[in-house]
């Protein structure tokens, strides 16, 4: 990327062309081919330095001193120094090729700036819907070991909801749907609205909460995490009680392990962003 210092750096999603595909060897592994093509589409690292510079009340990502922009053309800016530094570190961690799959924070920030900021209420409502059938409210009837593991991980989540949010949720055995009290659902929505009302940090907070909630299936686990009631690792473990029980019983599938590791990186990035916003 060349030009005068005033030129704007555009993120790889917009600048990377689709290279022509070479013919696939007969009998080639389709998965290996997909990985090859993904690697081919990774752009070379086109910058030497990355930092967050304070200007106009926000911290903007600079690549070689040039402001970076989102795919939507907006400045890639964050409201706190800690958040800006975290984003710059992700860009600095890229090696010879830029790997978008290893940049979960950048994806979240792009989403917050280009999408969430313009439809904050709709995203809040989408998160709030998880309170209608939250993961921690549906308990296994058996085996006993699984029921006990769920209780150990999830009872304190319900206690948090009651003590901190003023919300009482009802548990159900098995998969039978149970309608949660309107007061409980309203308490969750009111809490989310407080995040949505935190000024310049709001789109980033709501984007992070949305990522964390969709990955765990529990808005209650996520709100407890945001409150500092438990760590990111503890939240992730609580959201995977059922899966971990199955792994202990039947072993772990390599593809499932890889998918979970990737999802954990996304969850951790969202959680660290939320912490850096200092709400």
């Amino acid at each position: 990327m060349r030009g005068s210092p005033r030129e704007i750096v555009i993120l790889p999603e917009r600048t990377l062309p689709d290279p022509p595909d070479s013919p696939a060897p007969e009998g080639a592994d389709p998965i290996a081919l997909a990985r090859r093509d993904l690697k081919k589409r990774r752009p070379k690292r086109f910058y030497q330095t990355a930092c967050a510079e304070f200007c106009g009340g926000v911290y903007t990502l600079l690549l070689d001193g040039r402001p970076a922009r989102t795919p939507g053309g907006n400045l890639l800016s964050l409201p706190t120094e800690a958040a800006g530094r975290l984003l710059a570190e992700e860009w600095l961690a890229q090696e010879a090729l830029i790997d978008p799959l290893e940049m979960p924070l950048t994806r979240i920030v792009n989403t917050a700036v280009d999408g969430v900021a313009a439809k904050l209420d709709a995203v809040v409502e989408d998160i709030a819907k998880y309170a209608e059938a939250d993961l921690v409210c549906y308990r296994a009837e058996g085996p006993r070991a699984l029921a006990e593991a769920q209780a150990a991980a999830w009872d304190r989540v319900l206690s948090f909801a009651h003590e901190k949010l003023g919300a009482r949720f009802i548990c159900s055995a098995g998969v039978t749907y149970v309608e949660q009290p309107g007061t409980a659902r309203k308490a969750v929505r009111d809490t989310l609205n407080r995040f949505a009302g935190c000024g310049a940090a709001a789109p980033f907070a709501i984007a992070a909460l949305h990522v964390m909630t969709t990955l765990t299936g529990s808005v209650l686990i996520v709100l407890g995490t945001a409150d500092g009631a438990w760590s990111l690792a503890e939240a992730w473990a609580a959201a995977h009680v059922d899966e971990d029980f199955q792994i202990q019983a039947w072993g772990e599938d390599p593809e499932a392990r890889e998918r979970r590791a990737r999802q954990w990186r996304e969850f951790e990035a969202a959680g660290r962003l939320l912490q850096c916003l200092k709400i």
Side-chain angles (χ1 to χ4, degrees):
M1 183 75 66
R2 296 183 180 181
S4 69
R6 292 186 178 182
E7 283 190 313
I8 300 300
V9 174
I10 304 298
L11 297 189
E13 291 91 336
R14 294 190 68 181
T15 59
L16 184 62
D18 290 330
D21 293 325
S22 57
E26 186 175 351
D29 180 0
I31 295 178
L33 288 175
R35 289 174 177 170
R36 180 204 66 179
D37 290 342
L38 179 60
K39 185 175 182 179
K40 284 169 58 179
R41 287 173 169 80
R42 294 176 187 173
K44 292 181 179 180
R45 175 167 165 166
F46 55 90
Y47 57 93
Q48 296 297 319
T49 65
C51 66
E53 181 178 275
F54 184 72
C55 182
V58 294
Y59 293 84
T60 299
L61 177 68
L62 301 183
L63 302 177
D64 287 344
R66 302 170 184 174
R69 289 184 178 268
T70 68
N74 298 297
L75 283 174
L76 198 56
S77 302
L78 292 119
T80 68
E81 182 180 6
R85 186 185 308 117
L86 193 66
L87 182 64
E89 289 172 354
E90 185 173 80
W91 281 82
L92 285 171
Q94 296 302 298
E95 298 181 350
L97 297 178
I98 297 176
D99 186 355
L101 295 179
E102 296 299 327
M103 304 181 78
L105 181 60
T106 299
R107 293 197 300 272
I108 295 169
V109 174
N110 283 340
T111 299
V113 175
D114 287 347
V116 176
K119 50 182 181 180
L120 209 57
D121 291 343
V123 181
V124 165
E125 187 61 30
D126 193 50
I127 302 171
K129 287 180 180 178
Y130 280 80
E132 298 175 6
D134 198 275
L135 170 72
V136 304
C137 295
Y138 291 84
R139 307 298 179 92
E141 297 177 283
R144 180 177 177 180
L146 175 57
E148 290 177 346
Q150 290 177 340
W154 297 348
D155 283 357
R156 67 171 180 162
V157 178
L158 294 177
S159 295
F160 163 82
H162 179 216
E163 295 168 8
K164 289 296 186 72
L165 308 183
R168 287 185 178 274
F169 283 83
I170 302 170
C171 289
S172 174
V175 294
T176 303
Y177 174 76
V178 56
E179 184 173 357
Q180 299 297 340
T183 52
R185 290 183 278 114
K186 182 178 183 300
V188 168
R189 187 175 289 102
D190 289 346
T191 302
L192 292 171
N193 282 333
R194 285 198 288 274
F195 283 97
C198 59
F204 304 97
I206 295 302
L209 290 170
H210 189 273
V211 168
M212 296 170 75
T213 301
T214 55
L215 286 172
T216 60
S218 173
V219 65
L220 299 181
I221 288 177
V222 170
L223 289 179
T225 307
D227 189 69
W230 39 77
S231 68
L232 291 173
E234 289 173 326
W236 192 246
H240 290 81
V241 171
D242 292 0
E243 184 176 320
D244 287 340
F245 183 84
Q246 294 298 326
I247 290 173
Q248 290 176 5
W250 305 104
E252 188 173 25
D253 175 75
E255 290 186 10
R257 179 172 63 246
E258 183 178 342
R259 180 175 63 253
R260 178 163 163 178
R262 182 176 64 252
Q263 291 175 342
W264 158 249
R265 291 193 295 271
E266 295 174 5
F267 180 84
E268 183 184 32
R272 291 183 67 192
L273 173 60
L274 197 60
Q275 293 168 350
C276 288
L277 296 175
K278 305 183 188 323
I279 298 172

